Amino acid sequence: MRHVIYFFILSALFTHQCFSQSKQSLLDSADKYSELKNYGKAIAVCNRLIELDSNDANAYQRRGYLFENMKDYESAMRDYSKAVKLNPENTEAYLRRADLLAKLEYWHYALKDYSTAFNLCTNDTLKEAILVNRGQAKKNIKDGEGAVQDYKKALQLNATSLAALANIGAMLSQLGRHKEAIPHLEKAIQIDPKFEGGYGNLALLYAETGEYRKALEISNKLLSFKPKEPYALNNRGFAKLKLNDLIGAMEDINNSIQLMPSNSFAYKNRGLVYLALRKNKEACIDFQKALKLGFTEYFGNEVDELLKKHCLTEADETHDQ
């Protein structure tokens, strides 16, 4: 089981501002070196820009982005903050700092910068992207409903936003609002027929709402162009189990485990197949494996309950003897 999360790359949505001819020449050089990934020379050019004008917020912002590409996050943060201080209405500087804060998982601070940028922004395409990223920040501070509201606002700006559709589908699913999530993911795969995460999440939702034939259909579509996708094989195996195709279920789940031996959900599903085949010993081995791989932490107490119901503990075995 997994949910695919999308972030916009906000920087690509900006256009360069006008500068004097000498500054523009330096900026062109910085862009050239940056494209060649020669960040050291690009930074040297930005240093020259700052020497020419120590109050040039855009130069600090550009240099910060170069530092970020070099993974010098401390210097990048310092430059972004300088850019914001010099020009408190610099939308791009707030966004770059917000993205870096999100990358470093300082979600509350990222949320504040996204909100400031959104209030400053006048471009609908950029506002859509900000809303998606702010929704992600809210998701990570456990504000699921707030995240859903941001994704909905993004869809009001662009009803075909794949990022917003994917994220709202995943978030609604996590909130247990499965029937509400399904139309968003259906639309996402209509927009992008090769959207792997959309098919995977949709198959899970159909299974969780008891629509196993739909889950099987969606998994088949994904596997038609991604035949070795382990999550899709596991999802299809579960659907086949529920449709009483035990041989097909076992084959799919075995293939899933072979491709991804760390997936605790697949061991849980194979345990269920073994139970259906009345092979409790094998089922209990798989349930124990699922626990060791962290099933409870990620998905809840289902395996614990299956063990209590179908499997003897060491204490029980000693008592029986």
Side-chain angles (χ1 to χ4, degrees):
M1 176 182 288
R2 63 177 177 181
H3 295 290
V4 175
I5 304 304
Y6 274 70
F7 275 90
F8 271 95
I9 306 301
L10 297 169
S11 58
L13 299 172
F14 286 98
T15 56
H16 299 320
Q17 298 183 19
C18 295
F19 292 88
S20 66
Q21 187 62 42
S22 61
K23 283 187 175 181
Q24 189 60 55
S25 177
L26 288 170
L27 282 172
D28 290 343
S29 294
D31 286 342
K32 177 183 175 181
Y33 288 130
S34 181
E35 288 172 7
L36 294 171
K37 300 190 185 304
N38 192 335
Y39 300 124
K41 285 190 175 181
I43 287 171
V45 175
C46 288
N47 290 342
R48 178 59 181 153
L49 283 166
I50 291 168
E51 287 175 6
L52 290 172
D53 183 359
S54 61
N55 292 318
D56 186 346
N58 288 295
Y60 284 102
Q61 171 193 299
R62 280 172 166 271
R63 190 174 70 176
Y65 188 63
L66 293 165
F67 278 130
E68 185 176 347
N69 276 278
M70 295 177 70
K71 302 189 186 310
D72 182 353
Y73 299 139
E74 183 177 351
S75 295
M77 191 69 70
R78 184 166 56 245
D79 274 356
Y80 292 152
S81 296
K82 181 73 172 179
V84 165
K85 183 177 180 181
L86 288 169
N87 181 5
E89 296 187 356
N90 187 334
T91 306
E92 184 175 359
Y94 280 108
L95 287 173
R96 291 206 187 276
R97 189 170 70 175
D99 282 344
L100 179 54
L101 288 164
K103 183 186 294 184
L104 297 173
E105 299 186 358
Y106 294 120
W107 300 111
H108 285 89
Y109 294 107
L111 180 59
K112 183 178 178 181
D113 272 359
Y114 282 132
S115 295
T116 301
F118 181 80
N119 291 334
L120 291 170
C121 187
T122 58
N123 180 285
D124 281 352
T125 301
L126 186 54
K127 289 175 80 171
E128 171 202 336
I130 295 169
L131 286 165
V132 170
N133 283 13
R134 190 174 73 175
Q136 291 306 99
K138 289 180 178 180
K139 169 188 173 292
N140 281 286
I141 62 170
K142 310 302 182 186
D143 179 11
E145 187 55 45
V148 167
Q149 292 308 312
D150 272 353
Y151 302 143
K152 285 184 176 180
K153 289 176 184 176
L155 288 170
Q156 288 172 1
L157 292 169
N158 177 10
T160 62
S161 168
L162 184 61
L165 289 165
N167 282 307
I168 194 171
M171 191 70 256
L172 288 168
S173 175
Q174 290 180 37
L175 292 172
R177 293 155 63 179
H178 303 319
K179 290 188 180 296
E180 192 178 345
I182 285 173
H184 295 292
L185 292 171
E186 288 278 16
K187 189 169 184 178
I189 63 175
Q190 288 174 7
I191 293 168
D192 182 1
K194 299 290 186 180
F195 177 28
E196 296 176 30
Y199 284 103
N201 287 346
L202 191 56
L204 280 171
L205 288 170
Y206 277 127
E208 287 171 357
T209 55
E211 297 186 61
Y212 302 116
R213 293 197 181 281
K214 287 289 292 184
L216 183 63
E217 175 189 336
I218 294 296
S219 294
N220 281 335
K221 285 181 180 178
L222 174 51
L223 289 164
S224 70
F225 64 87
K226 195 77 172 180
K228 292 187 177 181
E229 214 296 314
Y231 295 102
L233 286 164
N234 182 41
N235 292 341
R236 188 172 71 177
F238 181 74
K240 288 179 178 179
L241 165 65
K242 290 298 184 178
L243 293 169
N244 208 34
D245 177 7
L246 301 184
I247 294 174
M250 184 64 77
E251 180 181 2
D252 277 347
I253 298 170
N254 279 338
N255 287 335
S256 176
I257 289 172
Q258 185 175 7
L259 290 164
M260 182 171 284
S262 62
N263 184 4
S264 64
F265 211 83
Y267 284 97
K268 185 273 292 186
N269 283 347
R270 192 171 68 177
L272 293 176
V273 178
Y274 277 128
L275 283 182
L277 293 168
R278 299 185 179 182
K279 295 183 177 182
N280 282 38
K281 181 178 179 180
E282 290 85 350
C284 293
I285 291 171
D286 271 355
F287 294 149
Q288 290 288 358
K289 182 71 173 179
L291 278 188
K292 288 179 181 178
L293 290 171
F295 184 94
T296 303
E297 178 184 354
Y298 292 107
F299 306 116
N301 297 323
E302 183 181 357
V303 169
D304 301 87
E305 296 302 319
L306 287 166
L307 281 165
K308 289 178 184 178
K309 184 175 181 180
H310 299 285
C311 306
L312 292 175
T313 65
E314 290 183 8
D316 292 330
E317 290 174 347
T318 302
H319 178 72
D320 289 344
Q321 290 173 0

